Amino acid sequence: MSMLKGANVPVPVPIVHVELGWRSGSGAPDVDASALLLASGSGKVRSDADFVFYNQPEHASGAVRHEGKRTAGAVTTDHITVDLGRVEPSVERIVLAASSDGGSFGQVPGLYVRVLDAAGGAEIARYESGDATVETAFILGELYRRQGAWKFRAVGQGYQSGLEGLATDFGITVDEPQQAAPLPTAPGPVPATPQVPAAASAPVAPAPVRLSKITLTKEAPTVSLAKQGGTSGTMRVNLNWEVRKQFTGWGSKLGQAVAMHADLDLDLCALFELGDGRKGVVQALGNAFGALHQPPYIQLDGDDRTGSVATGENLSINLDHKDKLRRVVIFVTIYSGARSFADLHATVTLQPQHGAPIEFSLDECTVPSTVCALVLLTNQGGDLVAQREARYLVPERGVSPQRTIDHAYGWGMNWTPGRK
């Protein structure tokens, strides 16, 4: 049963999943979940690090994590996990918020927030927001301490100023777009820059929080990592997925998929070509997991078989050595559990360490494909440009998915059978 605004309930479990959900579809804005850890007494964050959202997905304490989105049928959900036992004593409240992208919450049908027991999935609390109009950010609820125990309160407070206004209200410093300085109308003498003694230099202020993110589409499929701040550090490439339907047999027409079983195993892989001409593959098959701090500067983090928003398949790319990468094709193969990507929903996210996240969803597959090219990274003058591929390929009989990708992108490698 949904709670009334202002009502509260005890939270008797140590770890909870917070699920923000809505009915997605044509004309409905995208929605993002976020959390703010507020200090006792002040009601504000202690620093910008107390804001957990898509650009800053994990709190330093490990207590709060933004897990990502899932879509099942017409419902999309975004997830946050809170380990209440790890919340620092100086934190009194955790505000659970939502922000809309591309419209107001009056255009978002079926908006709700649920608090679930992380151990068993039992619902502890649920609040449905049905009175939104022009708001572009919402505080849906909050977890708060009361006499040594945790409780959840349904809030339902809206903001017309969006995520930036909400975050600023709680003490977050938000990065604003820089205005270009006007060009001089005529050349003139350049004034001397005064020399400031080192001892008098002011301490460097921490970088403000960036709220921007990039969604790649068919109409706008490419983005420069450098222009988004992704010039150094590690870039994490994440793939998570879920099966929308279960099938029992292969139909007579292409696109009628079969046997999407619970043991579906997808493998995230990368074909790479280095600046010196060396080529290779990073994949779980054959234990070719790569390396982050030496060639190929790409590493597969592990082999996930769940597609969970908390894990999924992950690749890491060392952008400190991006000048040594000529091109990279990131792709996914079906290793077991299904004969096609049909009716599989997946989300791809590229998260540079110092830049805005880049994301897109895979279109529904309409061919009996077992391999899909996700992203093509190319080195253009020292900058890596990411291009959304979302390209389903159908291997010929007896040809491996890897060899199929190789042929499609002209890698020219020799392939031999391998196992995990």
Side-chain angles (χ1 to χ4, degrees), residues 261-290:
H261 300 303
D263 60 349
L264 175 66
D265 183 13
L266 302 185
D267 283 345
L268 190 62
C269 315
L271 279 177
F272 64 84
E273 181 180 0
L274 302 181
D276 60 11
R278 284 181 289 173
K279 299 176 182 178
V281 64
V282 173
Q283 59 179 6
L285 198 65
N287 295 319
F289 285 90

Short mmCIF file of all heavy atoms in Angstrom, two decimals, residues 261-290:
data_model
loop_
_atom_site.label_atom_id
_atom_site.label_comp_id
_atom_site.label_asym_id
_atom_site.label_seq_id
_atom_site.Cartn_x
_atom_site.Cartn_y
_atom_site.Cartn_z
N HIS A 261 17.12 -17.87 -21.27
CA HIS A 261 17.04 -18.55 -19.98
C HIS A 261 17.64 -17.70 -18.87
O HIS A 261 18.34 -16.72 -19.10
CB HIS A 261 17.79 -19.89 -20.05
CG HIS A 261 17.23 -20.82 -21.08
ND1 HIS A 261 15.93 -21.22 -21.09
CD2 HIS A 261 17.82 -21.41 -22.16
CE1 HIS A 261 15.73 -22.04 -22.10
NE2 HIS A 261 16.84 -22.16 -22.77
N ALA A 262 17.35 -18.10 -17.64
CA ALA A 262 17.87 -17.36 -16.49
C ALA A 262 19.38 -17.43 -16.41
O ALA A 262 20.00 -16.60 -15.76
CB ALA A 262 17.24 -17.92 -15.21
N ASP A 263 19.99 -18.44 -17.05
CA ASP A 263 21.44 -18.58 -17.00
C ASP A 263 22.11 -17.90 -18.19
O ASP A 263 23.23 -18.24 -18.57
CB ASP A 263 21.85 -20.05 -16.94
CG ASP A 263 21.37 -20.84 -18.18
OD1 ASP A 263 20.57 -20.29 -18.95
OD2 ASP A 263 21.82 -21.99 -18.35
N LEU A 264 21.45 -16.90 -18.77
CA LEU A 264 22.02 -16.15 -19.88
C LEU A 264 23.39 -15.58 -19.49
O LEU A 264 23.54 -14.94 -18.46
CB LEU A 264 21.07 -15.01 -20.26
CG LEU A 264 21.55 -14.05 -21.33
CD1 LEU A 264 21.69 -14.76 -22.66
CD2 LEU A 264 20.58 -12.88 -21.45
N ASP A 265 24.39 -15.84 -20.32
CA ASP A 265 25.75 -15.38 -20.06
C ASP A 265 26.22 -14.52 -21.24
O ASP A 265 26.45 -15.04 -22.33
CB ASP A 265 26.67 -16.58 -19.86
CG ASP A 265 28.10 -16.15 -19.49
OD1 ASP A 265 28.31 -14.97 -19.17
OD2 ASP A 265 29.01 -17.01 -19.55
N LEU A 266 26.32 -13.23 -21.03
CA LEU A 266 26.84 -12.32 -22.04
C LEU A 266 28.28 -11.95 -21.69
O LEU A 266 28.63 -11.82 -20.52
CB LEU A 266 26.00 -11.03 -22.11
CG LEU A 266 24.51 -11.17 -22.40
CD1 LEU A 266 23.89 -9.79 -22.55
CD2 LEU A 266 24.26 -12.00 -23.63
N ASP A 267 29.10 -11.77 -22.71
CA ASP A 267 30.49 -11.40 -22.50
C ASP A 267 30.79 -10.07 -23.16
O ASP A 267 30.59 -9.91 -24.38
CB ASP A 267 31.43 -12.47 -23.09
CG ASP A 267 31.53 -13.70 -22.20
OD1 ASP A 267 31.10 -13.61 -21.03
OD2 ASP A 267 32.01 -14.74 -22.67
N LEU A 268 31.27 -9.11 -22.38
CA LEU A 268 31.74 -7.83 -22.91
C LEU A 268 33.18 -8.02 -23.36
O LEU A 268 34.01 -8.57 -22.64
CB LEU A 268 31.66 -6.76 -21.81
CG LEU A 268 31.87 -5.31 -22.23
CD1 LEU A 268 30.81 -4.86 -23.22
CD2 LEU A 268 31.88 -4.41 -21.01
N CYS A 269 33.49 -7.56 -24.57
CA CYS A 269 34.80 -7.78 -25.18
C CYS A 269 35.26 -6.50 -25.88
O CYS A 269 34.47 -5.58 -26.09
CB CYS A 269 34.75 -8.91 -26.21
SG CYS A 269 33.85 -10.40 -25.71
N ALA A 270 36.52 -6.48 -26.26
CA ALA A 270 37.04 -5.34 -27.01
C ALA A 270 38.12 -5.80 -27.99
O ALA A 270 39.07 -6.49 -27.59
CB ALA A 270 37.62 -4.29 -26.07
N LEU A 271 37.96 -5.43 -29.25
CA LEU A 271 39.05 -5.54 -30.22
C LEU A 271 39.84 -4.24 -30.16
O LEU A 271 39.26 -3.16 -30.15
CB LEU A 271 38.50 -5.72 -31.63
CG LEU A 271 38.06 -7.10 -32.09
CD1 LEU A 271 37.49 -7.02 -33.49
CD2 LEU A 271 39.19 -8.09 -32.02
N PHE A 272 41.16 -4.32 -30.09
CA PHE A 272 41.97 -3.11 -30.03
C PHE A 272 43.04 -3.11 -31.11
O PHE A 272 43.52 -4.15 -31.55
CB PHE A 272 42.63 -2.96 -28.64
CG PHE A 272 43.62 -4.05 -28.29
CD1 PHE A 272 44.94 -3.99 -28.72
CD2 PHE A 272 43.22 -5.15 -27.54
CE1 PHE A 272 45.85 -4.99 -28.41
CE2 PHE A 272 44.11 -6.16 -27.21
CZ PHE A 272 45.44 -6.08 -27.65
N GLU A 273 43.39 -1.92 -31.54
CA GLU A 273 44.54 -1.70 -32.41
C GLU A 273 45.34 -0.56 -31.81
O GLU A 273 44.83 0.54 -31.61
CB GLU A 273 44.12 -1.35 -33.83
CG GLU A 273 45.31 -1.15 -34.77
CD GLU A 273 44.91 -0.79 -36.18
OE1 GLU A 273 43.70 -0.69 -36.46
OE2 GLU A 273 45.81 -0.59 -37.02
N LEU A 274 46.61 -0.83 -31.49
CA LEU A 274 47.47 0.18 -30.89
C LEU A 274 48.11 1.05 -31.97
O LEU A 274 48.09 0.72 -33.16
CB LEU A 274 48.55 -0.49 -30.04
CG LEU A 274 48.05 -1.40 -28.90
CD1 LEU A 274 49.23 -1.97 -28.13
CD2 LEU A 274 47.11 -0.64 -27.98
N GLY A 275 48.66 2.15 -31.53
CA GLY A 275 49.29 3.08 -32.46
C GLY A 275 50.45 2.48 -33.22
O GLY A 275 50.76 2.91 -34.34
N ASP A 276 51.12 1.46 -32.64
CA ASP A 276 52.25 0.83 -33.32
C ASP A 276 51.81 -0.33 -34.22
O ASP A 276 52.65 -1.06 -34.76
CB ASP A 276 53.28 0.34 -32.30
CG ASP A 276 52.71 -0.69 -31.31
OD1 ASP A 276 51.56 -1.18 -31.54
OD2 ASP A 276 53.37 -0.99 -30.31
N GLY A 277 50.49 -0.51 -34.39
CA GLY A 277 49.98 -1.53 -35.30
C GLY A 277 49.60 -2.84 -34.65
O GLY A 277 48.97 -3.68 -35.30
N ARG A 278 49.97 -3.06 -33.40
CA ARG A 278 49.61 -4.31 -32.73
C ARG A 278 48.10 -4.39 -32.54
O ARG A 278 47.45 -3.40 -32.22
CB ARG A 278 50.32 -4.44 -31.38
CG ARG A 278 51.79 -4.79 -31.48
CD ARG A 278 52.42 -4.92 -30.10
NE ARG A 278 52.54 -3.60 -29.45
CZ ARG A 278 52.92 -3.43 -28.19
NH1 ARG A 278 53.19 -4.49 -27.43
NH2 ARG A 278 53.04 -2.21 -27.68
N LYS A 279 47.56 -5.62 -32.71
CA LYS A 279 46.13 -5.83 -32.58
C LYS A 279 45.88 -7.00 -31.63
O LYS A 279 46.72 -7.87 -31.46
CB LYS A 279 45.50 -6.13 -33.95
CG LYS A 279 45.64 -5.01 -34.97
CD LYS A 279 45.08 -5.43 -36.31
CE LYS A 279 45.25 -4.33 -37.35
NZ LYS A 279 44.75 -4.74 -38.68
N GLY A 280 44.70 -7.01 -31.05
CA GLY A 280 44.35 -8.10 -30.15
C GLY A 280 42.93 -7.97 -29.66
O GLY A 280 42.16 -7.12 -30.10
N VAL A 281 42.57 -8.85 -28.70
CA VAL A 281 41.23 -8.87 -28.15
C VAL A 281 41.32 -8.97 -26.64
O VAL A 281 42.22 -9.62 -26.10
CB VAL A 281 40.41 -10.04 -28.74
CG1 VAL A 281 41.01 -11.39 -28.35
CG2 VAL A 281 38.94 -9.94 -28.32
N VAL A 282 40.39 -8.32 -25.95
CA VAL A 282 40.22 -8.45 -24.51
C VAL A 282 38.87 -9.12 -24.29
O VAL A 282 37.85 -8.60 -24.73
CB VAL A 282 40.26 -7.07 -23.82
CG1 VAL A 282 39.92 -7.21 -22.34
CG2 VAL A 282 41.63 -6.42 -23.99
N GLN A 283 38.89 -10.30 -23.62
CA GLN A 283 37.65 -11.06 -23.42
C GLN A 283 37.88 -12.12 -22.36
O GLN A 283 39.02 -12.50 -22.06
CB GLN A 283 37.20 -11.71 -24.72
CG GLN A 283 38.20 -12.67 -25.31
CD GLN A 283 37.73 -13.33 -26.59
OE1 GLN A 283 36.67 -13.01 -27.11
NE2 GLN A 283 38.49 -14.29 -27.10
N ALA A 284 36.77 -12.61 -21.79
CA ALA A 284 36.87 -13.69 -20.80
C ALA A 284 37.28 -15.00 -21.46
O ALA A 284 37.96 -15.83 -20.85
CB ALA A 284 35.54 -13.85 -20.07
N LEU A 285 36.85 -15.21 -22.69
CA LEU A 285 37.20 -16.43 -23.42
C LEU A 285 38.72 -16.50 -23.58
O LEU A 285 39.35 -15.58 -24.08
CB LEU A 285 36.52 -16.41 -24.78
CG LEU A 285 36.40 -17.75 -25.52
CD1 LEU A 285 35.49 -18.69 -24.77
CD2 LEU A 285 35.87 -17.51 -26.93
N GLY A 286 39.28 -17.60 -23.13
CA GLY A 286 40.73 -17.75 -23.18
C GLY A 286 41.46 -16.97 -22.11
O GLY A 286 42.69 -16.84 -22.15
N ASN A 287 40.69 -16.41 -21.14
CA ASN A 287 41.28 -15.63 -20.05
C ASN A 287 42.14 -14.47 -20.56
O ASN A 287 43.17 -14.14 -19.98
CB ASN A 287 42.10 -16.52 -19.11
CG ASN A 287 41.24 -17.53 -18.38
OD1 ASN A 287 40.14 -17.20 -17.93
ND2 ASN A 287 41.71 -18.77 -18.28
N ALA A 288 41.70 -13.86 -21.65
CA ALA A 288 42.43 -12.71 -22.21
C ALA A 288 41.87 -11.43 -21.60
O ALA A 288 41.22 -10.63 -22.27
CB ALA A 288 42.30 -12.69 -23.73
N PHE A 289 42.12 -11.23 -20.30
CA PHE A 289 41.50 -10.14 -19.56
C PHE A 289 42.19 -8.80 -19.77
O PHE A 289 41.71 -7.78 -19.31
CB PHE A 289 41.46 -10.47 -18.07
CG PHE A 289 40.41 -11.49 -17.71
CD1 PHE A 289 40.70 -12.84 -17.71
CD2 PHE A 289 39.12 -11.10 -17.40
CE1 PHE A 289 39.74 -13.78 -17.40
CE2 PHE A 289 38.14 -12.03 -17.08
CZ PHE A 289 38.45 -13.37 -17.09
N GLY A 290 43.32 -8.78 -20.47
CA GLY A 290 44.01 -7.52 -20.76
C GLY A 290 44.77 -6.97 -19.57
O GLY A 290 45.00 -7.65 -18.57
#
